[in-house]
Amino acid sequence: MIAAPALFLAFVAFAYGHEPSAGRQGLVVPAVPTQAVPETTSLAGRAPTNAPPHELSDEGGISRYSAVLRPVLVRARPSASSRIVARLQTRTPEGTTNVVLTLRRVERNGQLWIQARLPILPNNTIGWIPREALGGYNQVTTHLVVDLSEYRATLFRRGQALWSARVGIGRSRWPTPTGRYYIRNKLTKYASPTYGPVAFGTSARSAVLTDWPAGGFVGIHGTNRPGILPGRVSHGCIRLRNADILRLAELMPPGTPLTIRR
């Protein structure tokens, strides 16, 4: 079994396109807040319903994410007999609270289910989770869009552009994966000019570096070489100038939906 610090370094190795030094100090890994917005999950005594799902997230308005409270099996459909698509744990490889972006809620035969975006391969996988396995809803009004052809990241709040910067992306043989994801965590005080002052972990994963420890998650971070930006410069991560990543860290909370497009 790989210890948590080693798993974090493995994340850094992929996300930052660089082999990290062992035993690096100065890391603080804050947990994602999980303040509860209560929701009743016990529906005993009520007639089974097949009502249409209720939408929970709107990238142009309010999106919601929840912490994983216990290890849980994720199903292809809202049914305990449906095919298993993933197994989720309560912590990320970096040691933060594991969260999922919640998309829809539905009741089936007296049980509430949540459809969520998942941090697994293949990318863009969604699945259904029993409501009782998740914490309260946390709300965000931001949406990060990375345009690979323009080498540009733009942060929106309720559909209005709030921040924009040029970026570096993955080289042709290690492409930054396109799709719809979310920001899993924010990693601060990682003392390395190479990686920049702040890093974000995402639910996106490399489809070609699958043998990397921790699974090759894509990161968003700074760099001490701003002259290489914009361009194809990484193993799949998204690099920003340090001033830009610091500003983004002020504006973008974990749980923010992320769209990567060509």
Side-chain angles (χ1 to χ4, degrees):
M1 181 177 294
I2 302 176
L7 282 173
F8 171 73
L9 292 174
F11 160 79
V12 170
F14 170 69
Y16 305 151
H18 189 278
E19 288 295 337
S21 299
R24 188 177 299 279
Q25 301 299 313
L27 169 66
V28 174
V29 184
V32 175
T34 58
Q35 63 270 24
V37 178
E39 177 179 58
T40 300
T41 59
S42 175
L43 303 172
R46 290 178 50 179
T49 178
N50 290 311
H54 173 73
E55 300 294 329
L56 293 173
S57 290
D58 173 10
E59 292 174 347
I62 296 175
S63 296
R64 296 174 173 87
Y65 68 95
S66 294
V68 179
L69 295 183
R70 59 175 173 80
V72 64
L73 299 177
V74 185
R75 305 284 179 172
R77 291 178 289 114
S79 168
S81 62
S82 181
R83 175 175 58 89
I84 298 170
V85 298
R87 291 172 170 82
L88 294 181
Q89 302 300 319
T90 61
R91 310 294 287 180
T92 69
E94 300 80 51
T96 61
T97 302
N98 196 13
V99 301
V100 292
L101 183 66
T102 60
L103 303 177
R104 298 191 297 171
R105 182 190 69 222
V106 71
E107 178 189 343
R108 290 292 182 265
N109 298 319
Q111 182 176 11
L112 285 177
W113 292 84
I114 302 298
Q115 186 187 56
R117 202 170 297 287
L118 305 173
I120 66 171
L121 287 173
N123 284 317
N124 303 300
T125 298
I126 57 178
W128 292 92
I129 304 171
R131 180 67 185 87
E132 63 268 19
L134 300 176
Y137 298 122
N138 298 271
Q139 298 183 358
V140 296
T141 57
T142 45
H143 176 207
L144 183 66
V145 177
V146 177
D147 190 314
L148 300 179
S149 62
E150 297 291 333
Y151 301 104
R152 180 169 292 279
T154 303
L155 183 69
F156 295 87
R157 179 178 290 162
R158 294 185 181 271
Q160 299 296 315
L162 183 65
W163 167 97
S164 186
R166 304 300 298 278
V167 300
I169 62 174
R171 296 181 178 94
S172 297
R173 56 181 169 168
W174 304 305
T176 301
T178 58
R180 300 173 70 182
Y181 310 103
Y182 60 97
I183 305 299
R184 285 180 93 192
N185 48 26
K186 180 169 71 173
L187 309 171
T188 60
K189 297 184 180 178
Y190 188 70
S192 171
T194 301
Y195 305 145
V198 182
F200 290 96
T202 80
S203 63
R205 299 174 71 164
S206 172
V208 294
L209 296 175
T210 56
D211 59 339
W212 283 46
F217 282 98
V218 173
I220 303 173
H221 66 91
T223 178
N224 67 340
R225 299 173 60 200
I228 67 175
L229 307 180
R232 295 184 177 274
V233 299
S234 76
H235 283 87
C237 68
I238 298 163
R239 298 186 187 181
L240 290 84
R241 294 177 176 87
N242 286 342
D244 292 330
I245 193 73
L246 284 170
R247 180 57 177 157
L248 181 61
E250 294 176 352
L251 300 171
M252 184 177 72
T256 295
L258 165 66
T259 300
I260 303 176
R261 66 190 186 196
R262 297 193 187 282

